Amino acid sequence: MRPLAALALAGLLTACGRESPPPAPVGDWHWTLPAGVAPPPVPADNPMSQAKFELGRRLFYDKRLSGNGSISCASCHPQDKAFSDSVARSLGSTGERTLRNAQPLANVAWRKSYTWANYSLTTLERQMDGPLFRTDPVEMGINDGNLPTVLARLRADPVYQREFARVFPAEAQPLSLANIVKAIATFERGIVSFDSRYDRYQAGRAVLSAAELRGLKLFRSEQAQCLRCHGSPDFDDQMAGHSDGLPFHNIGLYNTDGKGGYPFPNRGALELSGQPADMGRFRSPSLRNVALTAPYMHDGSVATLEEAVRIHAEHGRRDAKSGDGRRNPWKDAAIDRIRLSAAEQADIVAFLKTLTDDTLIRDPRLADPFAARR
Ligand code: HEC
Ligand code: HEC
């Protein structure tokens, strides 16, 4: 009886408004999510609001936010590619290429960690240090030397003067680096994708073709194993309740030295942990909008969706450059359990194409606010 009594007491205390603090203000933000998807975690010191989201969107598309004024976040994360890049390795502001493939940002708020293999990077706010300040290679190219210039550039814009003061009231200098980061993270959390043909089919509002339905059934089957690593509502294993242990996997993409080696510096979770067993372990990518996010894998080394699926089905990749990934000793055992004929692989590809969300890539709320003036 004790737990029940305690519960009743807690209820009473809440009703009297004593024991528990008043609910945090939720602002004017509304999540539009399908049944079964809970709102993502949002840091207590950076709550969602409509005005902050819109400010963040402007900053996300603003080239003045890079050291030399040449690129914005959107340069490597364009909306028409579901906020991923169409090249294997993206071009930074000073002409250097990124080490890995730029990831799509739809539903990024639900990820447990950010980037392909850095399990210590657990907030969008912290992730942003990378693109803004990284030097190896340079992305946005901001540094201690040019940060005052970048801030002065933005402060000279009356729109930013007005909007930062509105979104961060009662601060002596609302247009600060910390508030830029907060606003962009708010925009990123608002990039939500749950309106693909697959979602509409689930809601009884669309039909899928025979091949697409066969692919869906296969995708969910033991025979294909896909759910083990791409089984969350976001088709990764990053959402709560959808992974066991460190959700990073070696799928046998490389075996350059015959001992399971992946090429430096893209050796997966090992780069951070130093643990041999973490060789080649990368985060399972979300498969939402995957038809738009080519090229594939952490280094963009796979050109087509067909090839990405085939590599799983053949239990790894084998070619002159990659070595025999099928014999990679660190490979996740689930990959070897996959049994898919060529026709079944084609059905799965047909199904994966139903995950494209046209609403996301056309949504004016997520679009470039400067586009009209360019
Ligand atoms: C020069 C290209 C480039 C620019 C500019 C850039 N990014 Fe990225 N972004 C990448 C690459 C490449 C990755 C993958 C990084 C990795 O795994 O190491 C990435 C990854 C991310 C991720 C992780 C996504 C995930 O699923 O874990 C987020 C979030 C992100 N970028 C946000 C931003 C924001 C915000 C900006 C602007 C402040 C920005 N990016 C600017 C190339 C870029
Ligand atoms: C053991 C976990 C695991 C299983 C099982 C698995 N995948 Fe993957 N998948 C991954 C990982 C990890 C990557 C990224 C690997 C890398 O970049 O090195 C990936 C990459 C992909 C990609 C490329 C996506 C992109 O954006 O780069 C596709 C497509 C894909 N998987 C589809 C499938 C399908 C379809 C199945 C079932 C037949 C499946 N996967 C089974 C872990 C898995």
Side-chain angles (χ1 to χ4, degrees), residues 60 71-73 76-77 90-92 98 100-105 108 111 113-116 124 127-128 131-132 139-140 184 188 283:
F60 184 88
I71 65 169
S72 68
C73 306
C76 302
H77 298 283
S90 303
L91 203 54
T98 56
R100 285 170 286 277
N101 186 240
Q103 291 158 312
L105 302 183
V108 77
R111 312 264 191 273
S113 69
Y114 293 101
T115 72
W116 280 100
L124 287 168
Q127 190 278 332
M128 233 176 291
L132 291 175
E139 292 186 21
M140 314 278 286
I184 296 179
E188 291 181 285
R283 204 185 73 194

